[in-house]
Amino acid sequence: MAALITFTPISPASYLPLSLRKLPSFNPIQCLGTPQEDIQISSNGHVATSFPEKSVFTRPATSSPPPRPRRIILVRHGQSEGNVDESVYTRVADPKIALTEKGKTEAEECGWRIREMIEKDGAADWKVYFYVSPYKRTLQTLQHLGRAFERSRIAGMREEPRIREQDFGNFQDREKMRVDKALRLRYGRFFYRFPNGESAADVYDRITGFRETLRADIDIGRFQPPGERSPNMNLIIVSHGLALRVFLMRWYKWTVDQFERLNNMGNGNIIVMEKGYGGRYSLLMHQTEEELREFGLTDEMLSDQEWQKTAKPGELNYDCPMVNSFFTHFEDEGCRT
């Protein structure tokens, strides 16, 4: 016996296109009680989800931008097994190289130094938010550094592959690497590309992408907990020596020559970009001139950092020291250099 198949009559109104049907009115649906993501039915009958970070029109015209973080703190990982014994790179993949016991101690001490610095502000609502390279030594650094902060102080974290170590080409041949590093000194530290690896210029390109993401996060206050607009947020970037120097180069628009004069940070050490009086980040708000000279900053770079202390976001340094020194014919005009 054949199965009986029944059909439900279709209402004539259902033949109409969606744009002509009369839809019931309703209030926006809010997911998980967060007003930032409203789900509504658009005029063409489709579900439309609005995300404030993707549209400048979702923020009320009278709303001010979220406060910028008080600091961006750059942390180099603690001492790793590769820092002690370079032969480790020949048998362990670079992303899997771990910290030594000394490196774990350096990381934890670094966390307490950062906390002590933040607590000197005297603010009760301070928090930290982390960006970390996915390499084992940086993840371990963050785990030990994070012991200085209880959960309520940690606004969040993000693993960020673009701030990973410079790629030297998979498993390394120790003798060949010594030759390559000698060639790098002759060729130039910024442009020399390791065979099957990266140059600092390659790292610059991916750091540029990360910087734009970071700037967007700052502009929309992505790391701010729901409903909060605290000016006492501190961003902490846990990464590698060269990647952090390239980050500073990209942020402050340093030249290749200026980059090549910089010295590497010590393991478990920090460099602090602190918000100045006008809202921009300056290295001179926390570090001394002597400390920055030891890091490799020149007179021109220090002059610019002094300007950063009082400048506002979006302003340009029209008395740029580099312009004054690069064009030698200005000396005839009595231009200040």
Side-chain angles (χ1 to χ4, degrees):
M1 179 177 178
L4 180 63
I5 302 176
T6 60
F7 297 90
T8 303
I10 301 176
S11 169
S14 63
Y15 288 107
L16 295 174
L18 285 174
S19 59
L20 298 180
R21 296 183 200 175
K22 184 176 180 180
L23 298 172
S25 60
F26 60 92
N27 293 326
I29 301 172
Q30 294 184 351
C31 297
L32 303 179
T34 58
Q36 287 82 3
E37 300 180 5
D38 295 341
I39 301 179
Q40 300 176 328
I41 299 295
S42 63
S43 60
N44 63 5
H46 292 91
V47 175
T49 307
S50 62
F51 296 89
E53 65 268 30
K54 295 185 178 181
S55 174
V56 296
F57 302 107
T58 55
R59 182 187 294 158
T62 57
S63 176
S64 59
R68 302 183 111 202
R70 183 177 292 272
R71 298 178 185 87
I72 302 174
I73 304 168
L74 310 182
V75 179
R76 186 187 176 201
H77 61 81
Q79 184 191 74
S80 73
E81 295 170 345
N83 294 137
V84 176
D85 179 10
E86 291 187 354
S87 69
V88 171
Y89 293 106
T90 67
R91 58 183 183 273
V92 180
D94 197 0
K96 297 179 181 180
I97 290 178
L99 293 182
T100 62
E101 289 304 314
K102 179 181 178 181
K104 295 174 182 178
T105 301
E106 289 173 338
E108 187 163 349
E109 290 175 348
C110 178
W112 287 108
R113 290 200 308 273
I114 291 174
R115 179 172 185 133
E116 181 181 4
M117 173 182 62
I118 294 173
E119 287 182 333
K120 287 181 180 179
D121 297 336
D125 63 342
W126 65 266
K127 285 184 171 61
V128 292
Y129 187 97
F130 300 105
Y131 295 86
V132 59
S133 158
Y135 278 34
K136 185 173 183 177
R137 55 188 177 273
T138 41
L139 293 172
Q140 287 183 324
T141 296
L142 178 55
Q143 286 179 327
H144 288 271
L145 180 155
R147 293 180 179 180
F149 306 97
E150 55 269 30
R151 179 64 183 87
S152 61
R153 293 295 187 183
I154 301 176
M157 64 167 287
R158 184 187 305 174
E159 186 177 284
E160 178 50 75
R162 289 173 293 182
I163 59 174
R164 67 188 184 276
E165 175 66 289
Q166 179 182 6
D167 188 345
F168 294 101
N170 302 324
F171 293 104
Q172 299 175 21
D173 182 292
R174 193 173 184 182
E175 294 305 316
K176 188 174 184 305
M177 183 57 63
R178 288 177 179 173
V179 173
D180 288 335
K181 288 184 176 181
L183 288 173
R184 180 177 61 174
L185 292 177
R186 292 173 52 195
Y187 193 90
R189 289 169 55 195
F190 187 76
F191 291 112
Y192 181 80
R193 178 179 288 120
F194 285 87
N196 302 314
E198 289 182 304
S199 66
D202 296 322
V203 178
Y204 183 96
D205 292 340
R206 56 177 162 87
I207 288 292
T208 294
F210 167 69
R211 174 186 175 273
E212 296 310 307
T213 298
L214 181 63
R215 290 286 296 270
D217 287 352
I218 290 174
D219 289 343
I220 67 174
R222 187 188 297 273
F223 37 76
Q224 294 278 2
E228 295 187 19
R229 294 171 62 87
S230 172
N232 298 307
M233 180 63 66
N234 297 268
L235 305 185
I236 301 177
I237 301 175
V238 183
S239 185
H240 310 262
L242 181 131
L244 293 175
R245 298 199 305 277
V246 170
F247 176 83
L248 288 168
M249 175 192 184
R250 180 63 185 88
W251 188 281
Y252 291 115
K253 303 176 178 63
W254 291 340
T255 67
V256 170
D257 180 65
Q258 289 170 334
F259 166 81
E260 293 187 336
R261 293 172 181 266
L262 298 177
N263 298 307
N264 203 4
M265 300 166 57
N267 292 116
N269 282 357
I270 67 173
I271 287 184
V272 180
M273 303 163 60
E274 187 167 329
K275 190 165 62 176
Y277 308 110
R280 294 177 73 106
Y281 293 100
S282 171
L283 299 176
L284 278 173
M285 292 296 296
H286 179 79
Q287 286 84 200
T288 65
E289 180 179 317
E290 182 179 352
E291 289 171 332
L292 293 178
R293 286 189 185 279
E294 186 177 344
F295 180 52
L297 269 67
T298 64
D299 288 340
E300 293 175 349
M301 298 160 78
L302 288 169
S303 177
D304 182 66
Q305 290 301 313
E306 192 66 41
W307 175 83
Q308 301 275 353
K309 286 173 65 175
T310 56
K312 298 178 180 178
E315 289 184 349
L316 294 177
N317 186 358
Y318 286 99
D319 191 32
C320 176
M322 181 182 172
V323 172
N324 295 340
S325 62
F326 181 81
F327 294 100
T328 57
H329 66 281
F330 289 158
E331 297 176 0
D332 299 332
E333 303 175 16
C335 180
R336 182 175 51 184
T337 60

